[in-house]
Amino acid sequence: QFDPDNTGYISTEKFRTLLQRHGSELDPHKLEVLLALADSNSEGRICYQDFVNLMSNKRSNSFRQAILQGNRRLCSKALLEETGLSLSQRLIRHVAYETLPREIDRKWYYDSYTCCPPPWFMITITIVEASTLVAFFLYNGVVLDRFVLQVSHPLYLKNALLYHPQLRAQAWRYLTYIFMHAGIEHLGLNVVLQLLVGVPLEMVHGAARISFVYVAGVVAGSLAVSVADMRAPVVGSSGGVYALVSAHLANIVMNWSGMKCQFKLLRMAVALICMSFEFGRAVWLRFHPSAYPPCPHPSFMAHLGGVMVGITLGVIILRNYEQRLQDQTLWWIFLSIYVIFVLFAIFWNIFAYSLLDLKLPPPP
């Protein structure tokens, strides 16, 4: 109607007139972003596809850049100042302020989030991890008449899930070791961290991105052990958990002035204390003499592998909310480094153990 020549554009003056005429019919957040779009355009015209992208909650990189240049129009009223919200709306707003550094992203997320699908990945993986450990504990107690959760115990090592250097040819163990933990305190700390950090991140960034960071951290963790601590087994989901938490903390530090979450300093301190306590426990356990020699205690290198994934791939994924990562140069650089490390670790596992003639602990 307003583009009779079918050019795909209308003038910014006509666009502002339409917004003034029909602004009361629009969501106030979308109206603000539309005004920002009009203000940011230096060519004096508005692209129809940009308008469609905004109204359908889709964004391209070029459109995002145009909106960010007009971000001054979004400072009139922060999402945090809105009153009369329901409990679910306050929860969504809280998650937005906990994870996103820019007001435009918070408002976009608040408007578009429908809880469909829910954060199923982190909840499911947590339930499976806890259920597997409990089931294994009960199996040892009832069938084998020995309740045991000690990783170096021969009964604990006799399962098809944890990573063991003698069984490194069984490739699934590089991933399934997350379902076995060194004890209740090990499982408890990992569950608390991945629920408190992972669920909000999944609500914002989606299951695909968060599951990628989590699984990449898990695989990097077991491969790091196979390269740097070649005689030790591995248990626990710390690789994936540390990837998520370190990415989230690094994102907060990099965007400190924009993060408006309450008690952000306290939250960082608590997360760092929990991570340090769990990592310190793992280091102490690794070098503590085993009660069942020659079976060693599990390695702590998986934690460091997860941290490295978090501060590289994880930071890129969390920084680029609702953007195509395929267009990000740094994303491809870090992804290439990760793939090179995985390939190097695979060849290391094939050839290095025999070339170095290591004396490995006996197979379970």
Short mmCIF file of all heavy atoms in Angstrom, two decimals, residues 160-221:
data_model
loop_
_atom_site.label_atom_id
_atom_site.label_comp_id
_atom_site.label_asym_id
_atom_site.label_seq_id
_atom_site.Cartn_x
_atom_site.Cartn_y
_atom_site.Cartn_z
N ALA A 160 30.52 -49.86 32.14
CA ALA A 160 30.77 -49.50 30.74
C ALA A 160 30.66 -48.01 30.48
O ALA A 160 30.58 -47.59 29.33
CB ALA A 160 29.79 -50.24 29.84
N LEU A 161 30.67 -47.16 31.54
CA LEU A 161 30.44 -45.74 31.36
C LEU A 161 31.69 -44.89 31.57
O LEU A 161 31.98 -44.01 30.77
CB LEU A 161 29.32 -45.26 32.30
CG LEU A 161 27.95 -45.89 32.08
CD1 LEU A 161 26.97 -45.36 33.11
CD2 LEU A 161 27.44 -45.63 30.67
N LEU A 162 32.41 -45.11 32.66
CA LEU A 162 33.54 -44.21 32.96
C LEU A 162 34.71 -44.43 32.00
O LEU A 162 34.84 -45.48 31.38
CB LEU A 162 33.99 -44.38 34.40
CG LEU A 162 34.51 -45.73 34.90
CD1 LEU A 162 35.94 -45.99 34.50
CD2 LEU A 162 34.37 -45.81 36.41
N TYR A 163 35.53 -43.39 31.88
CA TYR A 163 36.72 -43.48 31.04
C TYR A 163 37.86 -44.12 31.82
O TYR A 163 38.15 -43.73 32.96
CB TYR A 163 37.15 -42.09 30.56
CG TYR A 163 38.51 -42.08 29.91
CD1 TYR A 163 38.65 -42.38 28.56
CD2 TYR A 163 39.66 -41.79 30.65
CE1 TYR A 163 39.91 -42.38 27.96
CE2 TYR A 163 40.91 -41.79 30.06
CZ TYR A 163 41.03 -42.09 28.72
OH TYR A 163 42.27 -42.11 28.13
N HIS A 164 38.51 -45.11 31.20
CA HIS A 164 39.67 -45.75 31.78
C HIS A 164 40.74 -45.86 30.70
O HIS A 164 40.43 -46.20 29.55
CB HIS A 164 39.31 -47.15 32.30
CG HIS A 164 40.37 -47.77 33.15
ND1 HIS A 164 41.50 -48.37 32.63
CD2 HIS A 164 40.50 -47.86 34.51
CE1 HIS A 164 42.25 -48.83 33.62
NE2 HIS A 164 41.67 -48.53 34.77
N PRO A 165 42.00 -45.53 31.00
CA PRO A 165 43.04 -45.53 29.95
C PRO A 165 43.21 -46.87 29.26
O PRO A 165 43.56 -46.91 28.07
CB PRO A 165 44.31 -45.10 30.70
CG PRO A 165 44.01 -45.34 32.15
CD PRO A 165 42.56 -45.13 32.31
N GLN A 166 42.97 -47.97 29.97
CA GLN A 166 43.09 -49.28 29.34
C GLN A 166 41.96 -49.56 28.36
O GLN A 166 42.09 -50.43 27.49
CB GLN A 166 43.12 -50.37 30.42
CG GLN A 166 44.40 -50.44 31.21
CD GLN A 166 45.50 -51.18 30.46
OE1 GLN A 166 45.46 -51.33 29.24
NE2 GLN A 166 46.53 -51.62 31.18
N LEU A 167 40.87 -48.82 28.49
CA LEU A 167 39.70 -49.04 27.63
C LEU A 167 39.44 -47.82 26.74
O LEU A 167 38.30 -47.57 26.34
CB LEU A 167 38.47 -49.33 28.50
CG LEU A 167 38.59 -50.52 29.46
CD1 LEU A 167 37.37 -50.62 30.35
CD2 LEU A 167 38.77 -51.81 28.67
N ARG A 168 40.47 -47.07 26.43
CA ARG A 168 40.30 -45.84 25.66
C ARG A 168 39.86 -46.10 24.22
O ARG A 168 39.38 -45.20 23.54
CB ARG A 168 41.59 -45.04 25.66
CG ARG A 168 42.77 -45.73 24.99
CD ARG A 168 44.06 -44.99 25.20
NE ARG A 168 45.19 -45.63 24.50
CZ ARG A 168 45.86 -46.65 24.98
NH1 ARG A 168 45.53 -47.14 26.18
NH2 ARG A 168 46.85 -47.19 24.28
N ALA A 169 40.00 -47.33 23.71
CA ALA A 169 39.53 -47.65 22.37
C ALA A 169 38.00 -47.66 22.29
O ALA A 169 37.45 -47.56 21.19
CB ALA A 169 40.09 -48.99 21.92
N GLN A 170 37.33 -47.78 23.42
CA GLN A 170 35.87 -47.75 23.44
C GLN A 170 35.45 -46.28 23.46
O GLN A 170 35.35 -45.64 24.50
CB GLN A 170 35.35 -48.50 24.66
CG GLN A 170 35.75 -49.98 24.65
CD GLN A 170 35.33 -50.71 25.93
OE1 GLN A 170 34.73 -50.12 26.83
NE2 GLN A 170 35.64 -51.99 25.99
N ALA A 171 35.16 -45.76 22.28
CA ALA A 171 35.03 -44.31 22.09
C ALA A 171 33.89 -43.70 22.90
O ALA A 171 33.96 -42.51 23.27
CB ALA A 171 34.83 -44.01 20.60
N TRP A 172 32.83 -44.45 23.18
CA TRP A 172 31.71 -43.86 23.92
C TRP A 172 32.09 -43.42 25.32
O TRP A 172 31.45 -42.55 25.90
CB TRP A 172 30.56 -44.86 23.97
CG TRP A 172 30.81 -46.06 24.84
CD1 TRP A 172 30.65 -46.15 26.19
CD2 TRP A 172 31.31 -47.33 24.41
NE1 TRP A 172 31.00 -47.40 26.66
CE2 TRP A 172 31.40 -48.15 25.57
CE3 TRP A 172 31.66 -47.86 23.18
CZ2 TRP A 172 31.84 -49.47 25.51
CZ3 TRP A 172 32.09 -49.17 23.11
CH2 TRP A 172 32.19 -49.95 24.26
N ARG A 173 33.16 -43.98 25.87
CA ARG A 173 33.56 -43.63 27.23
C ARG A 173 34.03 -42.18 27.35
O ARG A 173 34.00 -41.62 28.45
CB ARG A 173 34.66 -44.57 27.73
CG ARG A 173 34.20 -46.02 27.92
CD ARG A 173 35.35 -46.90 28.36
NE ARG A 173 34.94 -48.29 28.56
CZ ARG A 173 34.55 -48.80 29.73
NH1 ARG A 173 34.55 -48.03 30.81
NH2 ARG A 173 34.19 -50.06 29.81
N TYR A 174 34.47 -41.59 26.23
CA TYR A 174 34.89 -40.18 26.27
C TYR A 174 33.72 -39.25 26.51
O TYR A 174 33.91 -38.07 26.82
CB TYR A 174 35.58 -39.81 24.94
CG TYR A 174 36.90 -40.48 24.75
CD1 TYR A 174 36.99 -41.73 24.12
CD2 TYR A 174 38.08 -39.89 25.19
CE1 TYR A 174 38.21 -42.36 23.93
CE2 TYR A 174 39.30 -40.51 25.01
CZ TYR A 174 39.36 -41.75 24.38
OH TYR A 174 40.58 -42.37 24.21
N LEU A 175 32.50 -39.75 26.40
CA LEU A 175 31.30 -38.96 26.64
C LEU A 175 30.48 -39.47 27.81
O LEU A 175 29.99 -38.69 28.63
CB LEU A 175 30.43 -38.95 25.37
CG LEU A 175 29.18 -38.08 25.39
CD1 LEU A 175 29.53 -36.61 25.62
CD2 LEU A 175 28.40 -38.25 24.09
N THR A 176 30.37 -40.80 27.94
CA THR A 176 29.48 -41.36 28.97
C THR A 176 30.05 -41.30 30.38
O THR A 176 29.32 -41.58 31.34
CB THR A 176 29.14 -42.83 28.63
OG1 THR A 176 30.37 -43.59 28.56
CG2 THR A 176 28.42 -42.92 27.30
N TYR A 177 31.31 -40.91 30.52
CA TYR A 177 31.88 -40.83 31.86
C TYR A 177 31.18 -39.78 32.72
O TYR A 177 31.29 -39.79 33.96
CB TYR A 177 33.38 -40.52 31.80
CG TYR A 177 33.71 -39.09 31.41
CD1 TYR A 177 33.93 -38.12 32.39
CD2 TYR A 177 33.82 -38.70 30.08
CE1 TYR A 177 34.23 -36.81 32.06
CE2 TYR A 177 34.13 -37.40 29.74
CZ TYR A 177 34.34 -36.46 30.73
OH TYR A 177 34.63 -35.16 30.39
N ILE A 178 30.41 -38.88 32.10
CA ILE A 178 29.72 -37.84 32.87
C ILE A 178 28.62 -38.42 33.75
O ILE A 178 28.17 -37.76 34.69
CB ILE A 178 29.12 -36.77 31.94
CG1 ILE A 178 28.00 -37.36 31.08
CG2 ILE A 178 30.18 -36.15 31.08
CD1 ILE A 178 27.25 -36.34 30.25
N PHE A 179 28.18 -39.64 33.47
CA PHE A 179 27.10 -40.24 34.26
C PHE A 179 27.59 -40.94 35.52
O PHE A 179 26.79 -41.45 36.29
CB PHE A 179 26.31 -41.22 33.39
CG PHE A 179 25.68 -40.58 32.19
CD1 PHE A 179 26.10 -40.91 30.91
CD2 PHE A 179 24.70 -39.62 32.34
CE1 PHE A 179 25.53 -40.32 29.80
CE2 PHE A 179 24.12 -39.02 31.24
CZ PHE A 179 24.54 -39.37 29.96
N MET A 180 28.92 -40.97 35.73
CA MET A 180 29.48 -41.54 36.94
C MET A 180 30.23 -40.44 37.69
O MET A 180 30.94 -39.64 37.08
CB MET A 180 30.44 -42.69 36.61
CG MET A 180 29.82 -43.79 35.75
SD MET A 180 28.34 -44.53 36.48
CE MET A 180 29.06 -45.28 37.94
N HIS A 181 30.07 -40.39 39.01
CA HIS A 181 30.71 -39.36 39.81
C HIS A 181 31.50 -40.00 40.94
O HIS A 181 31.26 -41.16 41.32
CB HIS A 181 29.67 -38.38 40.37
CG HIS A 181 29.16 -37.41 39.34
ND1 HIS A 181 28.25 -37.78 38.38
CD2 HIS A 181 29.43 -36.10 39.14
CE1 HIS A 181 27.98 -36.73 37.61
NE2 HIS A 181 28.68 -35.71 38.05
N ALA A 182 32.41 -39.22 41.50
CA ALA A 182 33.30 -39.72 42.55
C ALA A 182 32.61 -39.82 43.90
O ALA A 182 33.16 -40.37 44.84
CB ALA A 182 34.53 -38.83 42.67
N GLY A 183 31.42 -39.29 44.03
CA GLY A 183 30.70 -39.32 45.29
C GLY A 183 29.51 -38.39 45.25
O GLY A 183 29.27 -37.67 44.27
N ILE A 184 28.75 -38.37 46.34
CA ILE A 184 27.56 -37.53 46.42
C ILE A 184 27.93 -36.05 46.36
O ILE A 184 27.25 -35.25 45.72
CB ILE A 184 26.77 -37.84 47.71
CG1 ILE A 184 26.31 -39.30 47.70
CG2 ILE A 184 25.58 -36.91 47.84
CD1 ILE A 184 25.40 -39.65 46.55
N GLU A 185 29.04 -35.67 47.04
CA GLU A 185 29.43 -34.26 47.03
C GLU A 185 29.87 -33.82 45.64
O GLU A 185 29.62 -32.69 45.22
CB GLU A 185 30.53 -34.00 48.06
CG GLU A 185 31.94 -34.48 47.69
CD GLU A 185 32.11 -35.99 47.76
OE1 GLU A 185 31.20 -36.66 48.29
OE2 GLU A 185 33.15 -36.50 47.31
N HIS A 186 30.51 -34.72 44.90
CA HIS A 186 30.92 -34.43 43.53
C HIS A 186 29.68 -34.21 42.65
O HIS A 186 29.58 -33.21 41.92
CB HIS A 186 31.76 -35.59 42.98
CG HIS A 186 32.37 -35.32 41.65
ND1 HIS A 186 32.80 -36.33 40.81
CD2 HIS A 186 32.61 -34.16 40.99
CE1 HIS A 186 33.29 -35.79 39.70
NE2 HIS A 186 33.19 -34.48 39.79
N LEU A 187 28.74 -35.14 42.74
CA LEU A 187 27.50 -35.00 41.98
C LEU A 187 26.72 -33.76 42.40
O LEU A 187 26.20 -33.01 41.57
CB LEU A 187 26.63 -36.25 42.18
CG LEU A 187 25.23 -36.20 41.57
CD1 LEU A 187 25.29 -36.16 40.05
CD2 LEU A 187 24.40 -37.40 42.04
N GLY A 188 26.66 -33.51 43.72
CA GLY A 188 25.88 -32.38 44.22
C GLY A 188 26.36 -31.05 43.71
O GLY A 188 25.57 -30.21 43.26
N LEU A 189 27.68 -30.82 43.74
CA LEU A 189 28.22 -29.55 43.27
C LEU A 189 27.99 -29.36 41.77
O LEU A 189 27.61 -28.28 41.32
CB LEU A 189 29.71 -29.47 43.58
CG LEU A 189 30.07 -29.14 45.03
CD1 LEU A 189 31.57 -29.30 45.25
CD2 LEU A 189 29.64 -27.73 45.39
N ASN A 190 28.17 -30.42 41.00
CA ASN A 190 27.95 -30.32 39.56
C ASN A 190 26.48 -30.06 39.24
O ASN A 190 26.16 -29.26 38.36
CB ASN A 190 28.42 -31.59 38.86
CG ASN A 190 29.93 -31.63 38.69
OD1 ASN A 190 30.60 -30.60 38.76
ND2 ASN A 190 30.48 -32.81 38.47
N VAL A 191 25.58 -30.74 39.95
CA VAL A 191 24.15 -30.55 39.72
C VAL A 191 23.73 -29.13 40.05
O VAL A 191 22.99 -28.48 39.30
CB VAL A 191 23.34 -31.57 40.53
CG1 VAL A 191 21.87 -31.16 40.61
CG2 VAL A 191 23.46 -32.96 39.91
N VAL A 192 24.21 -28.62 41.19
CA VAL A 192 23.84 -27.25 41.59
C VAL A 192 24.33 -26.24 40.56
O VAL A 192 23.58 -25.35 40.14
CB VAL A 192 24.42 -26.94 42.98
CG1 VAL A 192 24.30 -25.44 43.29
CG2 VAL A 192 23.69 -27.74 44.05
N LEU A 193 25.57 -26.37 40.12
CA LEU A 193 26.13 -25.40 39.16
C LEU A 193 25.42 -25.47 37.81
O LEU A 193 25.10 -24.44 37.21
CB LEU A 193 27.62 -25.65 38.99
CG LEU A 193 28.52 -25.19 40.14
CD1 LEU A 193 29.96 -25.64 39.91
CD2 LEU A 193 28.46 -23.68 40.31
N GLN A 194 25.16 -26.68 37.32
CA GLN A 194 24.58 -26.76 35.99
C GLN A 194 23.10 -26.41 35.98
O GLN A 194 22.58 -25.97 34.94
CB GLN A 194 24.82 -28.13 35.36
CG GLN A 194 24.11 -29.30 35.97
CD GLN A 194 24.58 -30.62 35.34
OE1 GLN A 194 25.71 -30.73 34.85
NE2 GLN A 194 23.73 -31.61 35.34
N LEU A 195 22.42 -26.52 37.12
CA LEU A 195 21.03 -26.07 37.18
C LEU A 195 20.96 -24.55 37.36
O LEU A 195 20.17 -23.88 36.70
CB LEU A 195 20.29 -26.78 38.31
CG LEU A 195 19.94 -28.25 38.08
CD1 LEU A 195 19.22 -28.83 39.30
CD2 LEU A 195 19.09 -28.43 36.83
N LEU A 196 21.77 -24.01 38.27
CA LEU A 196 21.73 -22.56 38.53
C LEU A 196 22.24 -21.75 37.35
O LEU A 196 21.77 -20.63 37.11
CB LEU A 196 22.54 -22.23 39.79
CG LEU A 196 21.94 -22.68 41.12
CD1 LEU A 196 22.85 -22.29 42.27
CD2 LEU A 196 20.54 -22.10 41.33
N VAL A 197 23.21 -22.27 36.63
CA VAL A 197 23.79 -21.54 35.51
C VAL A 197 23.25 -22.05 34.17
O VAL A 197 22.88 -21.27 33.30
CB VAL A 197 25.33 -21.64 35.53
CG1 VAL A 197 25.94 -20.94 34.31
CG2 VAL A 197 25.88 -21.02 36.81
N GLY A 198 23.19 -23.37 34.01
CA GLY A 198 22.82 -23.94 32.73
C GLY A 198 21.38 -23.71 32.32
O GLY A 198 21.10 -23.43 31.15
N VAL A 199 20.44 -23.81 33.27
CA VAL A 199 19.02 -23.64 32.92
C VAL A 199 18.72 -22.22 32.44
O VAL A 199 18.10 -22.05 31.38
CB VAL A 199 18.12 -24.03 34.11
CG1 VAL A 199 16.68 -23.62 33.85
CG2 VAL A 199 18.20 -25.54 34.35
N PRO A 200 19.14 -21.15 33.15
CA PRO A 200 18.92 -19.81 32.60
C PRO A 200 19.60 -19.58 31.25
O PRO A 200 19.03 -18.94 30.36
CB PRO A 200 19.51 -18.89 33.68
CG PRO A 200 19.45 -19.67 34.93
CD PRO A 200 19.71 -21.08 34.51
N LEU A 201 20.81 -20.10 31.08
CA LEU A 201 21.49 -19.95 29.79
C LEU A 201 20.72 -20.65 28.68
O LEU A 201 20.60 -20.12 27.57
CB LEU A 201 22.91 -20.50 29.87
CG LEU A 201 23.91 -19.71 30.72
CD1 LEU A 201 25.27 -20.40 30.71
CD2 LEU A 201 24.04 -18.28 30.23
N GLU A 202 20.18 -21.82 28.97
CA GLU A 202 19.40 -22.53 27.95
C GLU A 202 18.10 -21.81 27.65
O GLU A 202 17.63 -21.81 26.50
CB GLU A 202 19.13 -23.97 28.40
CG GLU A 202 18.45 -24.79 27.32
CD GLU A 202 18.22 -26.24 27.73
OE1 GLU A 202 18.79 -26.66 28.75
OE2 GLU A 202 17.46 -26.93 27.03
N MET A 203 17.49 -21.20 28.66
CA MET A 203 16.27 -20.43 28.43
C MET A 203 16.51 -19.28 27.46
O MET A 203 15.63 -18.93 26.66
CB MET A 203 15.73 -19.89 29.75
CG MET A 203 15.14 -20.94 30.67
SD MET A 203 14.66 -20.26 32.28
CE MET A 203 13.36 -19.12 31.80
N VAL A 204 17.71 -18.70 27.50
CA VAL A 204 18.02 -17.55 26.65
C VAL A 204 18.60 -17.99 25.31
O VAL A 204 18.17 -17.52 24.25
CB VAL A 204 19.01 -16.61 27.37
CG1 VAL A 204 19.50 -15.52 26.43
CG2 VAL A 204 18.35 -16.00 28.60
N HIS A 205 19.55 -18.90 25.32
CA HIS A 205 20.29 -19.23 24.10
C HIS A 205 19.80 -20.48 23.40
O HIS A 205 20.23 -20.76 22.28
CB HIS A 205 21.78 -19.38 24.43
CG HIS A 205 22.42 -18.13 24.93
ND1 HIS A 205 22.82 -17.11 24.11
CD2 HIS A 205 22.70 -17.72 26.20
CE1 HIS A 205 23.34 -16.12 24.83
NE2 HIS A 205 23.27 -16.47 26.10
N GLY A 206 18.93 -21.24 24.04
CA GLY A 206 18.37 -22.42 23.40
C GLY A 206 19.17 -23.67 23.67
O GLY A 206 20.37 -23.63 23.99
N ALA A 207 18.51 -24.82 23.49
CA ALA A 207 19.14 -26.10 23.80
C ALA A 207 20.29 -26.42 22.85
O ALA A 207 21.28 -27.03 23.25
CB ALA A 207 18.09 -27.22 23.75
N ALA A 208 20.18 -26.02 21.58
CA ALA A 208 21.21 -26.37 20.60
C ALA A 208 22.56 -25.76 20.97
O ALA A 208 23.59 -26.45 20.99
CB ALA A 208 20.79 -25.93 19.20
N ARG A 209 22.57 -24.47 21.29
CA ARG A 209 23.83 -23.81 21.63
C ARG A 209 24.40 -24.30 22.94
O ARG A 209 25.61 -24.57 23.05
CB ARG A 209 23.62 -22.30 21.69
CG ARG A 209 23.30 -21.66 20.34
CD ARG A 209 23.15 -20.16 20.48
NE ARG A 209 22.93 -19.54 19.18
CZ ARG A 209 23.47 -18.40 18.80
NH1 ARG A 209 24.28 -17.75 19.60
NH2 ARG A 209 23.21 -17.88 17.61
N ILE A 210 23.56 -24.41 23.96
CA ILE A 210 24.04 -24.80 25.29
C ILE A 210 24.50 -26.26 25.28
O ILE A 210 25.51 -26.61 25.89
CB ILE A 210 22.95 -24.56 26.34
CG1 ILE A 210 22.63 -23.06 26.42
CG2 ILE A 210 23.39 -25.09 27.69
CD1 ILE A 210 23.82 -22.17 26.66
N SER A 211 23.76 -27.12 24.60
CA SER A 211 24.18 -28.53 24.54
C SER A 211 25.50 -28.66 23.79
O SER A 211 26.33 -29.50 24.13
CB SER A 211 23.10 -29.38 23.86
OG SER A 211 22.85 -28.94 22.54
N PHE A 212 25.72 -27.81 22.77
CA PHE A 212 26.99 -27.85 22.05
C PHE A 212 28.14 -27.49 22.98
O PHE A 212 29.18 -28.17 23.00
CB PHE A 212 26.95 -26.90 20.86
CG PHE A 212 28.27 -26.81 20.13
CD1 PHE A 212 28.62 -27.77 19.20
CD2 PHE A 212 29.16 -25.77 20.39
CE1 PHE A 212 29.84 -27.70 18.53
CE2 PHE A 212 30.37 -25.69 19.73
CZ PHE A 212 30.71 -26.66 18.80
N VAL A 213 28.00 -26.40 23.75
CA VAL A 213 29.06 -26.00 24.67
C VAL A 213 29.29 -27.09 25.72
O VAL A 213 30.43 -27.44 26.04
CB VAL A 213 28.69 -24.67 25.36
CG1 VAL A 213 29.74 -24.31 26.41
CG2 VAL A 213 28.57 -23.55 24.34
N TYR A 214 28.20 -27.65 26.24
CA TYR A 214 28.30 -28.67 27.29
C TYR A 214 29.02 -29.92 26.77
O TYR A 214 29.98 -30.40 27.38
CB TYR A 214 26.90 -29.02 27.78
CG TYR A 214 26.85 -29.90 28.99
CD1 TYR A 214 26.91 -29.36 30.27
CD2 TYR A 214 26.73 -31.28 28.87
CE1 TYR A 214 26.86 -30.17 31.40
CE2 TYR A 214 26.68 -32.09 29.98
CZ TYR A 214 26.74 -31.54 31.24
OH TYR A 214 26.69 -32.36 32.35
N VAL A 215 28.57 -30.43 25.62
CA VAL A 215 29.16 -31.65 25.07
C VAL A 215 30.60 -31.40 24.63
O VAL A 215 31.48 -32.25 24.82
CB VAL A 215 28.30 -32.18 23.90
CG1 VAL A 215 28.99 -33.35 23.21
CG2 VAL A 215 26.93 -32.61 24.40
N ALA A 216 30.86 -30.21 24.05
CA ALA A 216 32.24 -29.89 23.66
C ALA A 216 33.15 -29.87 24.88
O ALA A 216 34.30 -30.33 24.82
CB ALA A 216 32.28 -28.54 22.95
N GLY A 217 32.66 -29.33 26.01
CA GLY A 217 33.45 -29.34 27.24
C GLY A 217 33.68 -30.74 27.77
O GLY A 217 34.77 -31.07 28.26
N VAL A 218 32.67 -31.59 27.68
CA VAL A 218 32.79 -32.98 28.13
C VAL A 218 33.85 -33.73 27.32
O VAL A 218 34.73 -34.40 27.88
CB VAL A 218 31.42 -33.69 28.03
CG1 VAL A 218 31.58 -35.19 28.23
CG2 VAL A 218 30.45 -33.12 29.07
N VAL A 219 33.77 -33.62 26.00
CA VAL A 219 34.73 -34.32 25.13
C VAL A 219 36.13 -33.76 25.33
O VAL A 219 37.11 -34.52 25.41
CB VAL A 219 34.29 -34.21 23.66
CG1 VAL A 219 35.33 -34.81 22.74
CG2 VAL A 219 32.94 -34.91 23.46
N ALA A 220 36.25 -32.44 25.42
CA ALA A 220 37.57 -31.84 25.64
C ALA A 220 38.15 -32.28 26.97
O ALA A 220 39.36 -32.46 27.09
CB ALA A 220 37.46 -30.32 25.58
N GLY A 221 37.29 -32.45 27.98
CA GLY A 221 37.77 -32.88 29.28
C GLY A 221 38.40 -34.26 29.25
O GLY A 221 39.51 -34.46 29.77
#
